[in-house]
């Protein structure tokens, strides 16, 4: 029997407070539609009145309401020694037009005295007056008990009194907030148990329900949320990908599958949870933050297998090295190739490219040996699967020569401390015709890329669609000084798909040239195939 658990997403408010994350109005609207399609029950949209962007956000949602989710406005209690009905900030909250409002108030006497600079009694009046005002306007209230755990540890009687005040004033949910993120799971268990026990016989306008809001400053936000739910909490607040201030919030992409698939709680529909990986990556793309490849459940590497023994076992029965089927949350199994690979890795990886190899095919052993030799030189194919696909095709004799490289030159001029221009000249042969072209760029790699495109675009017009999306450089053997080998990873894109290629050389420009050339070649190969292969990630 499944038990209902209410998921509350605060990516657009608490998550947006992450350092380096900035969401435009359009970004917020795109994300909220994805969360709505995922079936998240409550989505906190922001603090109306705090900034023009949040005001416009709620206006837009009034014009086109969500389908599955309740959008929630967020705010604080009224100011000390004032009247909630006359508070302009609270009037702005009402203008957002939401059915639900999340109100936060002070639980910790330290914050009341030193932060608000008021009395403990006045803080209780602020909580009650604000909730009663919202209730009088027909709004339903979720009360976030800010700094709840720190407040309880410092002065349990007063912290409990703030909860009781909120409940008796008409709040329907009381949420325990670990605002500083310093509480550990065993403390959460005991304090939540104590608070629920202390309030169970209260006479309140509504049956009391409890929630948890945990930050990750001690690395225990996930554990704290699970501990609270096991003690009877029915609402879990968090963010997509764990975004949030300082060290972040509880990661809903980890919590939802743990609750739903392992603890038998009903968070969202089974068909919706299959989109969890997609939504995680969508939000990271809109937020312009690199996805965490090693994130539980939704990370690119969450179901990747690299060791030969692992690969062999997974091919026979995925349960041997996977705690859940990846398809359940919209992820997929990946077989990673590296110098630790066995023949099983190569055969499995070949199948993901639509290449059917078997152990008796001499090409299989050839690919494996070439793989190990190249990685010994510094190549890295687990992060450059497009280059590995080309390596396999070369061994099988099926690699098409779209063009032949004859050579290149790069010349750099530095005119000032800030300006460095590069001029690249390349010579290629296409269809038995030699092409010599030159192009400028703001650096040698940019100039090389531009010259290659210029030489090839008349023969392959689709190259104009290709973009160099990312460029990573790593020194492999730093002890060799300036003669050290350099590995370059280049990510390319055609607007719908992306792929990564690798180059290695003691000359950084040569390594870059190798990766850029293979990137163009692989893009042409994809265009020729017309349908993408599994290595290609959808943007």
């Amino acid at each position: 029997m499944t038990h209902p658990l209410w998921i509350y997403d605060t990516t657009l408010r608490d998550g947006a407070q992450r350092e380096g994350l900035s969401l435009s109005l359009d970004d917020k609207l795109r994300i909220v539609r994805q969360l709505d399609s995922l079936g998240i029950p409550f989505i906190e949209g922001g603090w109306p009145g705090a900034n023009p962007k949040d005001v416009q956000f709620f206006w837009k949602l009034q014009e086109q309401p969500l389908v599955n989710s309740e959008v929630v406005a967020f705010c604080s209690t009224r100011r000390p020694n004032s009247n909630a009905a006359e508070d302009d900030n609270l009037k702005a909250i009402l203008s957002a037009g939401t059915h639900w409002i999340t109100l936060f108030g002070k639980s910790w006497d330290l914050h009341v005295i030193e932060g608000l600079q008021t009395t403990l009694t006045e803080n209780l009046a602020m909580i009650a007056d604000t909730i009663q005002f919202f209730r009088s306007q027909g709004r339903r209230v979720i009360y976030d008990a800010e700094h709840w755990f720190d407040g309880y540890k410092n002065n349990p009687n007063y912290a409990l009194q703030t909860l009781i005040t909120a409940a008796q004033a008409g709040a329907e949910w009381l949420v325990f907030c670990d605002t500083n993120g310093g509480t550990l799971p065993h403390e959460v268990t005991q304090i939540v148990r104590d608070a629920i026990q202390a309030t169970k016989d209260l006479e309140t306008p509504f049956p009391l329900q409890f929630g948890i809001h945990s930050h990750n400053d001690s690395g225990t936000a996930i554990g704290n949320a699970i501990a609270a739910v096991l003690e009877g909490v029915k609402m879990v607040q968090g963010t997509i990908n764990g975004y949030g201030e300082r060290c972040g919030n509880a990661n809903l992409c980890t919590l939802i599958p743990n609750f739903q698939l392992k603890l038998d709680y009903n968070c969202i529909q089974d068909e919706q949870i299959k989109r969890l990986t997609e939504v995680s990556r969508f939000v990271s793309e809109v937020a312009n933050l690199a996805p965490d490849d090693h994130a539980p459940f939704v990370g690119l590497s969450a179901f990747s297998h690299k060791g030969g023994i692992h690969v062999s076992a997974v091919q026979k029965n995925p349960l041997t090295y996977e705690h859940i089927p990846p398809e359940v949350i919209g992820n997929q199994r990946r077989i990673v190739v590296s110098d630790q690979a066995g023949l099983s890795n190569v055969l499995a990886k070949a199948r993901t490219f639509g290449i059917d190899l078997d152990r008796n095919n001499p090409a299989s052993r050839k690919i494996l040996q070439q793989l190990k030799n190249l990685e010994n030189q510094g190549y890295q194919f687990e992060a450059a699967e497009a280059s590995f696909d080309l390596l396999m095709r070369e061994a099988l004799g099926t690699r098409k020569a779209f063009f032949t490289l004859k050579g290149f030159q790069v010349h750099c001029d530095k005119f000032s401390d800030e300006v460095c221009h590069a001029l690249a000249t390349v010579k290629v042969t296409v269809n038995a015709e030699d092409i010599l072209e030159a192009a400028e760029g703001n650096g040698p790699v940019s100039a090389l890329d531009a010259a290659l495109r210029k030489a090839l675009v008349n023969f392959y017009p689709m190259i104009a669609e290709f973009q160099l999306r990312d460029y990573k450089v790593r020194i492999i053997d730093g002890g060799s000084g300036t003669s050290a080998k350099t590995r370059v990873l280049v990510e390319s894109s055609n607007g719908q798909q992306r792929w990564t290629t690798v180059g290695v050389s003691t000359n950084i420009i040569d390594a870059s040239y190798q990766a850029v050339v293979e990137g163009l070649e692989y893009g042409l190969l994809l265009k020729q195939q017309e349908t993408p292969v599994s290595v290609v990630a959808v943007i």
Side-chain angles (χ1 to χ4, degrees), residues 3-215:
H3 310 284
L5 191 64
W6 299 90
I7 300 298
Y8 180 111
D9 181 277
T10 180
T11 304
L12 300 179
R13 200 272 308 171
D14 212 343
Q17 293 177 189
R18 169 179 165 139
E19 184 178 4
L21 195 162
S22 178
L23 298 175
S24 67
L25 173 61
D26 184 60
D27 292 338
K28 294 186 66 167
L29 291 169
R30 292 174 67 195
I31 290 173
V32 78
R33 297 296 175 189
Q34 289 290 321
L35 298 176
D36 183 38
S37 70
L38 196 60
I40 301 296
F42 293 100
I43 303 173
E44 188 176 277
W47 189 330
N51 59 74
K53 180 170 58 181
D54 281 0
V55 172
Q56 294 174 48
F57 172 80
F58 285 100
W59 286 351
K60 289 286 187 181
L61 291 187
Q62 289 181 44
E63 296 171 4
Q64 294 181 308
L66 301 181
V67 176
N68 302 306
S69 308
E70 287 279 358
V71 66
V72 183
F74 180 84
C75 69
S76 67
T77 56
R78 67 158 171 81
R79 292 183 296 271
N81 304 309
S82 65
N83 189 317
E86 299 174 356
D87 192 314
D88 290 337
N89 291 326
L90 301 186
K91 293 177 183 177
I93 303 302
L94 293 177
S95 68
T98 63
H99 299 298
W100 286 90
I101 293 170
T102 294
L103 172 76
F104 76 90
K106 302 297 185 183
S107 308
W108 192 358
D109 54 4
L110 172 72
H111 271 258
V112 175
I113 295 168
E114 297 192 13
L116 295 178
Q117 295 187 334
T118 190
T119 66
L120 300 184
T121 301
E122 175 60 14
N123 181 55
L124 297 178
M126 293 160 60
I127 295 170
D129 186 24
T130 308
I131 293 174
Q132 289 166 354
F133 169 67
F134 284 138
R135 291 297 308 166
S136 73
Q137 300 299 309
R139 302 303 197 270
R140 305 176 73 177
V141 178
I142 299 166
Y143 178 70
D144 275 10
E146 189 185 37
H147 293 101
W148 162 257
F149 294 96
D150 293 312
Y152 186 88
K153 285 186 277 188
N154 187 64
N155 188 338
N157 290 333
Y158 183 73
L160 282 170
Q161 190 58 50
T162 64
L163 277 191
I164 293 169
T165 299
Q168 292 179 332
E172 297 182 49
W173 289 92
L174 303 179
V175 181
F176 305 114
C177 299
D178 186 25
T179 310
N180 284 358
T183 310
L184 299 179
H186 72 284
E187 297 176 296
V188 169
T189 296
Q190 188 60 55
I191 294 173
V192 168
R193 182 182 300 164
D194 291 347
I196 293 177
Q197 180 67 24
T199 56
K200 69 175 184 177
D201 296 324
L202 278 180
E203 292 187 8
T204 59
F206 304 98
L208 283 186
Q209 301 184 86
F210 299 91
I212 181 69
H213 179 114
S214 52
H215 282 253

